[in-house]
């Protein structure tokens, strides 16, 4: 594959153990797997070979890769690899402890300062993953006496954070501000109210009405937490996300994000007011009780932030190409819901239909994953096209053509 100079040493692979029967105490799992298989919901364990760029090598085949969140093409960029090795050489590979103890290295400190600068906020806190950032922060902000209003299409890490908090939870229909208003009115008796939402929704590529959410937060004296996981690096003049793009920073209290998507590294972050971040260091259990991510990873993420600042053309190109691609699919009559960014679902309904379409695309040389329940509601299975700056316009044109041929 072009641009893939080295492979991991597989000369002495561990022999795959043979699969034996389940121990009696776990025998019930067999039935669960049979049920998943029958419903078309069994997942393959795929092994990717080599570094991914606009292409990916899966099951021995090189495919155009529409199945990663590498929106700006930094995940396989050698500049991040070099920053990671330099960071690892300086500070060792493992962090050795939670940030609360001795795991917070200079590389993490520099990363937090870089994030705060990029987002234009006072402070940021880095977590081992975006998942950990959401669960820990939501559970810190709300407890049993509180109320959380959550968009029905929020990411699993937001949902799990809500559950972990033990707060009363109200789910509002996707982006429905009137329903949210009504929900918050019923929660006047709660000690505190918290609104939680993705900014760019990960499964359908729609964008949250941030200005309206901020207005409702003000009206109901609620906190507003937004998850910029898919927007960081892509939107806004500086590339900090949709809060910047929509000029809603004053109304958004907490910004969560991940370093693992457009930034091409790993880890999550929470950003906002410095006193809030200081308090979070005493309350966010996934930060307090989990080993900090490796310093080399933090160094790579810092390098990616610098690249986002230096290479604004990547996000501009991506946004333009995404608009062109979605227009082509709509014109071809495909159901892509309300997609309005670089995540484009092609909705087919049944899990088997999504798997079949993904297989047809695989045969045509494209990796486009099938997304099925529980990632999407029953009846809403889809194949999800994730665009990257690395894709050639001709790849996008060909994919649109192939989708139109197979999915209509
Ligand atoms: C909206 C959203 N939030 C959070 C996460 C979790 O981020 P991470 O992969 O860094 O754990 C994801 C990842 O898939 C996501 O899509």
């Amino acid at each position: 594959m072009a641009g893939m100079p080295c492979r991991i040493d597989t000369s002495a692979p561990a022999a795959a153990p043979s699969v034996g029967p389940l121990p009696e105490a776990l025998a019930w799992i067999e039935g669960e797997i049979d049920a998943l298989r029958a419903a078309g919901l069994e997942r393959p364990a795929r092994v990717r070979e080599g570094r991914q760029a606009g292409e990916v090598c899966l099951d021995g085949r090189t495919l155009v890769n529409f199945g990663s969140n590498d929106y700006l093409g930094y995940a396989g960029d050698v500049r991040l690899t070099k920053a990671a090795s330099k960071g690892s050489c300086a500070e060792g590979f493992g962090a050795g402890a939670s940030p609360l103890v001795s795991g917070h290295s200079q590389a993490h400190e520099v990363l937090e300062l870089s994030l705060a600068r990029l987002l234009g906020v006072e402070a940021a806190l880095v977590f081992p993953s975006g998942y950990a950032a959401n669960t820990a922060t939501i559970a810190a902000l709300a407890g049993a006496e509180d109320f959380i209003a959550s968009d029905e299409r929020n990411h699993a890490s937001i949902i799990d954070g809500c559950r972990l908090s033990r707060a009363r939870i109200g789910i509002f229909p996707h982006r429905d501000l009137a329903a949210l208003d009504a929900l918050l009115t019923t929660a006047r008796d709660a000690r505190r109210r918290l609104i939680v939402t993705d900014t760019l929704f990960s499964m359908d590529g729609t964008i949250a009405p941030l200005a309206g959410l901020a207005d409702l937060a003000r009206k109901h004296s609620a906190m507003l937490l937004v998850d910029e996981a898919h927007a960081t690096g892509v939107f806004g003049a500086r590339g900090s996300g949709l809060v910047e793009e929509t000029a809603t920073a004053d109304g958004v209290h907490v910004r969560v994000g991940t370093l693992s998507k457009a930034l091409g590294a790993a880890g999550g972050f929470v950003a906002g007011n410095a006193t809030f971040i200081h308090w979070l260091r005493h309350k966010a259990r996934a930060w307090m009780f989990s080993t900090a991510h490796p310093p080399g990873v933090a160094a790579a993420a810092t390098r990616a932030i610098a690249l986002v600042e230096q290479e604004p053309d990547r996000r501009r190109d991506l946004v333009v190409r995404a608009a062109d691609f979605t227009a082509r699919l709509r014109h071809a009559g495909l159901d892509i819901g309300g997609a309005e960014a670089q995540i484009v679902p092609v909705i087919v309904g049944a899990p088997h239909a999504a798997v079949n379409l993904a297989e047809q695309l695989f045969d045509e040389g494209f990796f486009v994953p099938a997304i099925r329940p529980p990632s999407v509601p029953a009846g809403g299975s889809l194949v999800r096209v994730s665009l990257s700056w690395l894709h050639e316009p001709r790849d996008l044109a060909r994919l649109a053509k192939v989708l139109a041929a197979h999915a209509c």
Side-chain angles (χ1 to χ4, degrees):
M1 201 183 311
M4 303 217 166
C6 50
R7 294 222 182 277
I8 202 153
D9 181 7
T10 51
S11 52
S18 58
V19 180
L22 281 159
E24 205 182 320
L26 299 180
W28 57 273
I29 289 175
E30 201 70 66
E32 298 242 328
I33 292 176
D34 289 346
L36 286 169
R37 196 169 295 142
L41 296 175
E42 194 183 16
R43 263 74 171 169
R46 287 203 173 93
V47 180
R48 196 189 80 222
E49 279 176 54
R51 203 148 50 90
Q52 62 181 320
E55 292 180 338
V56 66
C57 185
L58 284 176
D59 298 341
R61 277 205 55 193
T62 298
L63 306 152
V64 188
N65 183 14
F66 289 99
S68 107
N69 307 305
D70 183 23
Y71 302 127
L72 298 179
Y74 291 137
D77 192 313
V78 76
R79 294 173 292 183
L80 266 62
T81 317
K82 283 184 181 160
S85 38
K86 218 168 144 192
S88 300
C89 288
E91 300 189 352
F93 185 73
S98 106
L100 185 64
V101 186
S102 60
H104 182 72
S105 70
Q106 284 182 316
H108 295 101
E109 182 67 12
V110 171
L111 172 58
E112 288 179 354
L113 293 172
S114 303
L115 279 165
R117 199 194 59 238
L118 177 73
L119 272 70
V121 295
E122 290 177 2
L125 193 64
V126 167
F127 286 75
S129 69
Y131 182 94
N134 265 330
T135 50
T137 306
I138 294 168
L141 285 169
E145 299 153 62
D146 302 321
F147 178 81
I148 306 179
S150 177
D151 187 290
E152 67 180 353
R153 295 200 192 161
N154 277 341
H155 186 256
S157 55
I158 295 184
I159 296 169
D160 292 356
C162 293
R163 290 176 180 159
L164 200 58
S165 74
R166 287 186 267 178
R168 187 150 59 91
I169 299 162
I171 313 276
F172 58 94
H174 187 45
R175 302 192 293 175
D176 186 336
L177 292 173
L180 173 60
D181 193 12
L183 206 52
L184 289 167
T185 305
T186 66
R188 276 208 199 102
D189 57 328
R191 181 183 61 170
R192 292 194 282 263
R193 285 154 294 283
L194 170 65
I195 304 167
V196 289
T197 185
D198 287 16
T199 59
L200 172 55
F201 285 84
S202 57
M203 294 300 152
D204 66 7
T206 56
I207 291 176
L210 289 178
L213 292 169
D215 286 345
L216 286 180
R218 246 177 249 117
K219 175 176 169 189
H220 292 277
S221 303
M223 304 173 280
L224 175 57
L225 176 150
V226 306
D227 178 0
E228 293 262 50
H230 294 271
T232 308
V234 177
F235 291 97
R238 286 196 314 276
S240 76
L242 279 160
V243 170
E244 183 195 352
E245 174 97 15
T246 56
T248 49
D250 284 350
V252 172
H253 307 106
V254 181
R255 277 187 259 176
V256 178
T258 176
L259 309 164
S260 66
K261 303 192 191 299
L263 295 179
F269 65 86
V270 178
N273 170 279
T275 307
F276 160 67
I277 294 293
H278 178 59
W279 169 83
L280 206 53
R281 287 194 192 97
H282 301 78
K283 298 287 173 186
R285 292 170 68 82
W287 185 85
M288 298 161 73
F289 301 117
S290 186
T291 300
H293 73 346
V297 176
T302 301
R303 184 77 177 104
I305 291 170
L307 293 174
V308 162
E309 288 168 334
Q310 289 156 19
E311 300 179 340
D313 286 355
R314 290 202 180 198
R315 59 179 168 275
R316 289 185 203 134
D317 291 350
L318 180 65
V319 167
V320 170
R321 287 180 205 163
D324 178 66
F325 184 70
T326 49
R328 273 176 199 262
L329 297 198
R330 282 207 173 93
H331 184 71
L334 294 167
D335 180 3
I336 62 167
E340 50 191 324
Q342 79 279 10
I343 298 170
V344 188
V346 178
I347 302 158
V348 291
H352 288 107
V355 172
N356 287 344
L357 179 55
E359 279 168 4
Q360 285 166 334
L361 294 170
F362 193 97
D363 291 342
E364 298 273 2
F366 299 110
F367 177 59
V368 187
I371 309 285
R372 295 162 279 166
S375 308
V376 288
S381 291
L382 49 94
V383 296
R384 182 180 56 177
V385 181
S386 299
L387 303 184
S388 167
W389 176 82
L390 292 170
H391 294 135
E392 299 286 343
R394 66 165 182 273
D395 292 331
L396 299 179
R398 201 167 74 79
L399 177 62
K401 221 166 148 187
V402 171
L403 276 167
H406 288 292
C408 280

